[in-house]
Amino acid sequence: MKSTGVVRKVDELGRVVIPIELRRTLSINEKDALEIFVDTDRIILKKYQPGCIFCGSAENVFTIKGKNICEKCAEEIYRMKKN
């Protein structure tokens, strides 16, 4: 894990501000969803990227008509339709 040297305090509502430099670097925009993970004594934030509607994979996912599908499943559907 890489330290950024940035320290932020939690406010009275439990909020923490993510600095603009980090949001820009990680392509986190206003209204983007973040997943929250806990690893023993660590809280990990990750930009939420929903997985494929068929297999659940989050790799190589793209959106078609508002639905997320991975390359693998798209290729499988293409092959099925072709036959």
Side-chain angles (χ1 to χ4, degrees), residues 3-81:
S3 175
T4 62
V6 176
V7 176
R8 292 287 189 259
K9 291 188 178 186
V10 178
D11 74 7
E12 62 278 351
L13 297 176
R15 298 175 296 197
V16 177
V17 174
I18 302 170
I20 190 74
E21 299 82 17
L22 290 176
R23 294 193 317 254
R24 285 182 181 149
T25 300
L26 299 172
S27 300
I28 298 172
N29 301 308
E30 284 184 32
K31 309 290 183 193
D32 280 352
L34 298 177
E35 281 187 276
I36 303 170
F37 299 92
V38 176
D39 182 20
T40 53
D41 64 342
R42 295 183 177 136
I43 298 171
I44 300 166
L45 299 176
K46 180 181 174 194
K47 188 172 177 178
Y48 177 65
Q49 296 181 346
C52 174
I53 60 169
F54 296 108
C55 70
S57 171
E59 292 186 27
N60 300 319
V61 175
F62 54 94
T63 304
I64 298 176
K65 295 188 177 185
K67 305 292 183 192
N68 294 321
I69 185 168
C70 70
E71 260 182 50
K72 212 173 184 183
C73 289
E75 288 172 8
E76 188 175 334
I77 291 167
Y78 179 75
R79 282 193 304 272
M80 288 170 53
K81 186 166 173 77

